[in-house]
Amino acid sequence: MEGEELVYNVRYGFIDLGQVRIKTTKKVSSGNSVSYQTIAYIDSYKKIPFVNLHAVFESTIDSMMFSHYFVGKSRDGDYWDFGRYTFDYDKKRVYMEAGGQDTIVQKRDTLTIDGSTQDGLSLFFYARDQLYSGRKQNITAVVNEKKVNTVIDFYNKRKSAEIDFIEYPVDVVGFEGTAEFTGIFGLTGDFEGWFSNDEARIPIVAKMKVILGSVTIELMEWKRAGWKPPRG
């Protein structure tokens, strides 16, 4: 939904590491096609020692929840690195650029793809779209300038989830999977997610492995017209 904004707290054990803010900024209609412009801000909390992570992901996604354009930026001190992908499905190619300071391209490359593909942000929306599919899927994505695989089993398990930021248990539907790559916060390997059991399919809570253990990601704020978490 255009204007949707979801904010998540990222916790490692008892330590709050940071925050992820995901927004659907614009819906674009052109002829018979519809696309959505989305953005995610990933920031560690200032109080966390030895952790200073700041990243921005932007993705243009079609109505089937596949990526057409992606740019990811991450900050190291005052310097921003970026990776930019343009998906050309007619030619079965992904054109990639990588560099720094937004405009200085230091590397160009091309990947061959077999069909519709994800990026690191569009995967979030694709999982919402497929929540009730009941299928185990192998999903191809481009992450860190490489073609990678994510396995997700949308097994339709339903339960009530209790999290810190919602006053009552939430009616959710779950899935589990494996990320065969290393992403932001060192996320890699097995994960599970629980999304709201309603039309919006808002991600409520997820548990994901990182290199040194696992993190819990919980919904803490939201803006979506007419939506509130369904009571479990």
Side-chain angles (χ1 to χ4, degrees):
M1 179 181 287
E2 186 177 27
E4 178 187 85
E5 183 173 347
L6 307 173
V7 184
Y8 294 88
N9 183 66
V10 181
R11 188 177 71 246
Y12 178 79
F14 297 103
I15 302 171
D16 292 328
L17 290 181
Q19 195 174 94
V20 179
R21 182 182 302 267
I22 302 174
K23 301 172 68 174
T24 302
T25 58
K26 192 175 183 180
K27 178 181 178 180
V28 180
S29 299
S30 177
N32 294 325
S33 66
V34 174
S35 62
Y36 299 87
Q37 295 176 5
T38 64
I39 189 165
Y41 301 95
I42 301 145
D43 296 286
S44 56
Y45 292 128
K46 292 181 179 179
K47 63 183 179 180
I48 304 300
F50 311 114
V51 178
N52 186 19
L53 175 64
H54 304 280
V56 181
F57 293 165
E58 297 180 63
S59 182
T60 300
I61 308 167
D62 64 26
S63 59
M64 300 298 291
M65 301 299 122
F66 291 103
S67 181
H68 285 252
Y69 176 81
F70 171 84
V71 58
K73 306 173 187 178
S74 60
R75 193 177 83 182
D76 184 6
D78 294 326
Y79 188 83
W80 286 86
D81 293 317
F82 73 85
R84 186 159 49 226
Y85 315 146
T86 302
F87 296 79
D88 188 334
Y89 291 120
D90 291 336
K91 295 182 179 179
K92 298 184 178 181
R93 296 285 190 273
V94 182
Y95 303 104
M96 303 183 298
E97 295 179 329
Q101 300 298 71
D102 288 344
T103 58
I104 303 172
V105 177
Q106 298 165 331
K107 177 184 176 183
R108 289 185 173 90
D109 205 349
T110 303
L111 280 176
T112 301
I113 54 176
D114 297 324
S116 298
T117 306
Q118 301 295 332
D119 60 54
L121 177 55
S122 68
L123 267 169
F124 172 85
F125 292 94
Y126 182 79
R128 293 172 66 178
D129 182 72
Q130 295 293 305
L131 180 64
Y132 296 117
S133 68
R135 297 186 294 121
K136 187 174 184 178
Q137 302 185 31
N138 288 288
I139 304 162
T140 302
V142 177
V143 176
N144 297 328
E145 287 80 58
K146 296 179 181 178
K147 189 163 59 175
V148 299
N149 189 57
T150 301
V151 179
I152 304 182
D153 185 359
F154 295 101
Y155 53 66
N156 273 338
K157 184 176 181 180
R158 184 179 176 185
K159 74 170 187 178
S160 293
E162 296 186 10
I163 65 172
D164 292 343
F165 305 97
I166 299 176
E167 296 177 349
Y168 53 84
V170 182
D171 184 10
V172 294
V173 173
F175 61 87
E176 61 185 19
T178 302
E180 298 176 356
F181 61 91
T182 301
I184 199 82
F185 280 121
L187 299 171
T188 188
D190 297 339
F191 60 86
E192 63 180 44
W194 300 89
F195 292 3
S196 64
N197 184 28
D198 58 12
E199 184 180 358
R201 290 170 258 191
I202 301 291
I204 302 297
V205 60
K207 296 183 183 297
M208 308 187 75
K209 286 188 177 180
V210 294
I211 294 172
L212 297 176
S214 63
V215 295
T216 299
I217 304 169
E218 292 184 344
L219 180 68
M220 61 187 301
E221 298 175 17
W222 60 88
K223 295 178 183 177
R224 182 182 169 101
W227 185 82
K228 63 179 181 180
R231 188 179 293 272

